[in-house]
Amino acid sequence: MECPKEPLESQCSLSEMDDFDLTRALDKPRLKIERKRSFDERSMSELSTGYSRHDLDMAHSPGSRSFVDTPLSYVRNSFEPHPMVAEAWEALRRSMVFFRGQPVGTIAAYDHASEEVLNYDQVFVRDFVPSALAFLMNGEPDIVKNFLLKTLQLQGWEKRVDRFKLGEGVMPASFKVLHDPVRKTDTIVADFGESAIGRVAPVDSGFWWIILLRAYTKSTGDLTLSETPECQRGIRLILSLCLSEGFDTFPTLLCADGCSMVDRRMGVYGYPIEIQALFFMALRSALSMLKHDEEGREFIEKIVKRLHALSFHMRNYFWLDFQQLNDIYRYKTEEYSHTAVNKFNVMPDSIPDWVFDFMPLRGGYFVGNVSPARMDFRWFSLGNCVAILSSLATPDQSMAIMDLLEHRWEELVGEMPLKICYPCIESHEWRIVTGCDPKNTRWSYHNGGSWPVLLWMLTAACIKTGRPQIARRAIDLIESRLHRDCWPEYYDGKLGRGIWSKEGSKKGLALWNGALFIVERGIILL
């Protein structure tokens, strides 16, 4: 793939526009138009599980958002919602956290039977996103606005771990509201990594905050929040951390273990796909919200250049399909000069045996990590889904990811969607890579565990690529088990049959609301 030489203002194709004309592209409802072309009314009807009469009335009620960009089958057909939806909403509302009488988020898990909650009684930035999208789609934006403002305020706190001061733009991983019934006061305690397992600051929290701010703006049509000096400054502070010039020779973002959804040591240090995809998505979101004043224009210029380089790098060096796998298999090593084909000096002998059996003739995915002499061939679902949603993946690559999911359904989905990564790390390698982490045993937690919360991203990616039947198949699996199993946070086992615990995790509670309606109601993030 040759890097285009034409200037930003020149004419370009649709796929090139995602890279080089993003400012204009984000101002147009291009994604909504593509959704209309992506699937017919029949497939849309099959995907939908139901909308109440209230939903349809809201389409034409004063002050509500119109369904004008939704396929006609959405408005014409009314279905009874699945019984578990009502229980999910009830539990989600019980998990709401209030600060001085105002809702500011939802706790990580609601489990009235558990006395030992550890940090599940806190509001996590990354965990609140699917809940926030559900509230937005239900016409309840206040809790999302309050959350955005409260975390923005926390960003301004001085952040220290022992005697070391963190960057000014770091967003908290989570926060907790302490109520004093005697003094009738509320106090917030934020965690920027100083209390986290492994003492690692979250890299993804700032990205999720920018993405959620963009989702709030698109959902409500309210530009006043993102245009406030405080929000503009918050965006710039986050960008300052990841756009600063240094020793990096790659446009990807260097990241340590434990700084993302995979929040323990799992060998994702370096340039993990999850962080790169979220980085790309956050940059595109910020590009659409930054003001064109003196400070804003400086960051806009940096963003456009970084997006250009990042998309080229990811699409060329992180992408793996059958042809690319064979090319790597024939790589020469110890190449020196600008003409080197094996630019990262990846040793062909480092290709694990499972990849050759796993890779179908049709299909592909973004590998987990690429850095000098290292290519992590594991599949990570969150990074690949975000790559589709943010248009980091080209249209052909997006379809290839969907093809891979269909071909390797048993491995990547199993009996409970969705594998966070594949395959798991076992035996001696598990001891070395995870540090003998007892929670990340094989096919559990982040080591190949199945996380129902990831279904909302899969559903959105399926709709964007015009493959809703894939999401429908996964949703059928959820219907049969999630409610019966009391909404577990994740499932164990190669097929996702084992239940780790019966914690009423918000990750499960927000699932139904987030999974089916995110794209259909037109508030997908970009």
Side-chain angles (χ1 to χ4, degrees):
M1 176 178 175
E2 293 296 324
C3 183
K5 304 297 183 183
E6 62 267 24
L8 299 180
E9 294 76 16
S10 64
Q11 296 295 320
C12 54
S13 68
L14 181 62
S15 60
E16 290 172 337
M17 183 175 67
D18 281 337
D19 290 337
F20 313 122
D21 205 8
L22 292 166
T23 306
R24 288 198 295 271
L26 288 171
D27 291 335
K28 299 177 181 179
R30 184 177 60 81
L31 213 157
K32 296 179 182 178
I33 294 172
E34 287 181 352
R35 282 204 308 278
K36 288 182 181 179
R37 295 201 306 257
S38 294
F39 47 88
D40 57 20
E41 292 182 2
R42 188 175 69 86
S43 64
M44 188 66 201
S45 299
E46 291 172 353
L47 178 68
S48 303
T49 57
Y51 306 94
S52 65
R53 182 71 254 170
H54 172 72
D55 290 329
L56 298 179
D57 292 339
M58 284 290 289
H60 305 288
S61 63
S64 66
R65 198 176 56 77
S66 172
F67 293 166
V68 67
D69 295 304
T70 305
L72 292 177
S73 59
Y74 177 98
V75 179
R76 282 206 299 260
N77 297 293
S78 179
F79 303 90
E80 287 299 320
H82 193 281
M84 67 192 295
V85 175
E87 183 180 343
W89 270 107
E90 180 183 352
L92 185 60
R93 296 196 188 284
R94 287 200 303 267
S95 72
M96 292 172 65
V97 174
F98 292 82
F99 179 75
R100 296 175 183 174
Q102 297 294 321
V104 292
T106 53
I107 57 176
Y110 180 83
D111 183 13
H112 59 83
S114 175
E115 296 181 359
E116 183 63 38
V117 294
L118 296 177
N119 61 351
Y120 282 93
D121 62 347
Q122 299 187 31
V123 180
F124 282 82
V125 173
R126 74 175 69 97
D127 290 2
F128 179 65
V129 171
S131 300
L133 295 174
F135 283 121
L136 286 174
M137 288 180 288
N138 203 46
E140 302 177 57
D142 288 348
I143 185 173
V144 182
K145 182 177 182 179
N146 294 339
F147 169 84
L148 290 167
L149 290 174
K150 185 53 60 181
T151 48
L152 181 64
Q153 182 182 358
L154 296 175
Q155 183 195 40
W157 287 13
E158 184 181 48
K159 301 169 276 286
R160 288 183 179 272
V161 177
D162 293 332
R163 299 183 180 184
F164 186 72
K165 184 177 179 181
L166 278 67
E168 191 177 4
V170 173
M171 281 287 185
S174 63
F175 65 85
K176 183 177 181 178
V177 177
L178 301 176
H179 302 283
D180 188 333
V182 178
R183 299 181 179 180
K184 295 182 179 180
T185 58
D186 290 345
T187 306
I188 283 188
V189 178
D191 176 23
F192 294 93
E194 68 271 27
S195 299
I197 296 174
R199 299 300 187 267
V200 191
V203 173
D204 62 337
S205 289
F207 297 153
W208 279 123
W209 185 86
I210 292 176
I211 292 167
L212 185 56
L213 178 61
R214 172 63 172 156
Y216 170 87
T217 302
K218 288 200 70 174
S219 173
T220 63
D222 177 16
L223 301 175
T224 58
L225 179 61
S226 63
E227 291 181 351
T228 60
E230 293 78 13
C231 281
Q232 290 289 306
R233 182 174 183 272
I235 294 172
R236 293 196 302 268
L237 285 176
I238 295 170
L239 296 177
S240 295
L241 290 174
C242 50
L243 292 177
S244 59
E245 296 176 345
F247 291 98
D248 292 313
T249 56
F250 316 132
T252 43
L253 192 66
L254 189 63
C255 179
D257 258 327
C259 291
S260 59
M261 180 183 179
V262 182
D263 60 8
R264 291 182 179 223
R265 181 178 166 189
M266 270 287 293
V268 299
Y269 58 86
Y271 305 92
I273 178 61
E274 175 185 336
I275 291 299
Q276 312 316 316
L278 286 173
F279 183 29
F280 186 88
M281 197 171 202
L283 289 176
R284 291 197 64 188
S285 298
L287 189 61
S288 69
M289 294 186 292
L290 283 171
K291 288 184 176 180
H292 287 254
D293 52 21
E294 185 176 350
E295 290 179 300
R297 281 195 300 270
E298 179 183 350
F299 279 94
I300 288 172
E301 182 179 349
K302 290 181 179 180
I303 289 173
V304 172
K305 290 180 179 179
R306 191 61 168 263
L307 285 171
H308 177 100
L310 184 59
S311 60
F312 177 83
H313 183 94
M314 297 296 296
R315 293 170 183 176
N316 282 272
Y317 305 128
F318 273 68
W319 181 252
L320 187 71
D321 54 22
F322 187 78
Q323 180 60 51
Q324 181 66 7
L325 180 60
N326 275 277
D327 290 343
I328 297 172
Y329 185 65
R330 298 191 302 272
Y331 267 168
K332 296 179 180 179
T333 59
E334 305 302 324
E335 291 184 296
Y336 182 81
S337 83
H338 296 287
T339 60
V341 176
N342 187 2
K343 296 185 177 181
F344 298 95
N345 200 36
V346 175
M347 304 296 169
D349 288 345
S350 69
I351 303 175
D353 293 338
W354 66 264
V355 178
F356 293 97
D357 296 327
F358 178 75
M359 182 63 70
L361 292 177
R362 262 184 52 212
Y365 65 102
F366 290 98
V367 298
N369 221 314
V370 176
S371 57
R374 180 189 182 212
M375 185 172 284
D376 184 348
F377 290 90
R378 284 178 294 175
W379 150 276
F380 286 87
S381 55
L382 189 149
N384 277 272
C385 286
V386 173
I388 292 175
L389 298 181
S390 64
S391 294
L392 172 59
T394 66
D396 287 343
Q397 288 173 338
S398 297
M399 296 303 288
I401 293 172
M402 290 292 111
D403 289 339
L404 180 76
L405 273 164
E406 285 194 311
H407 281 295
R408 298 296 175 223
W409 184 266
E410 184 173 340
E411 293 92 334
L412 302 180
V413 180
E415 295 185 13
M416 176 51 64
L418 182 66
K419 283 282 182 295
I420 188 172
C421 71
Y422 179 88
C424 72
I425 304 171
E426 303 182 77
S427 306
H428 186 59
E429 185 184 9
W430 166 78
R431 297 178 181 276
I432 296 173
V433 173
T434 73
C436 300
D437 189 338
K439 200 169 186 180
N440 274 321
T441 56
R442 65 191 187 109
W443 306 116
S444 180
Y445 200 45
H446 298 128
N447 191 14
S450 297
W451 293 68
V453 67
L454 295 172
L455 185 56
W456 79 263
M457 289 190 180
L458 174 63
T459 305
C462 289
I463 296 175
K464 182 175 180 182
T465 55
R467 310 276 282 273
Q469 69 279 2
I470 297 178
R472 176 70 268 173
R473 186 180 175 189
I475 291 167
D476 286 343
L477 296 174
I478 288 288
E479 283 185 2
S480 65
R481 290 200 55 185
L482 196 61
H483 169 75
R484 184 189 67 193
D485 296 339
C486 299
W487 309 88
E489 180 181 14
Y490 61 88
Y491 287 76
D492 285 349
K494 199 168 186 178
L495 294 177
R497 289 180 173 180
I499 303 173
W500 170 68
S501 77
K502 290 187 179 293
E503 285 184 352
S505 174
K506 178 264 322 135
K507 298 175 180 67
L509 300 177
L511 172 66
W512 262 87
N513 301 295
L516 287 179
F517 310 142
I518 285 175
V519 181
E520 295 172 22
R521 296 197 181 184
I523 62 169
I524 193 58
L525 316 174
L526 291 175

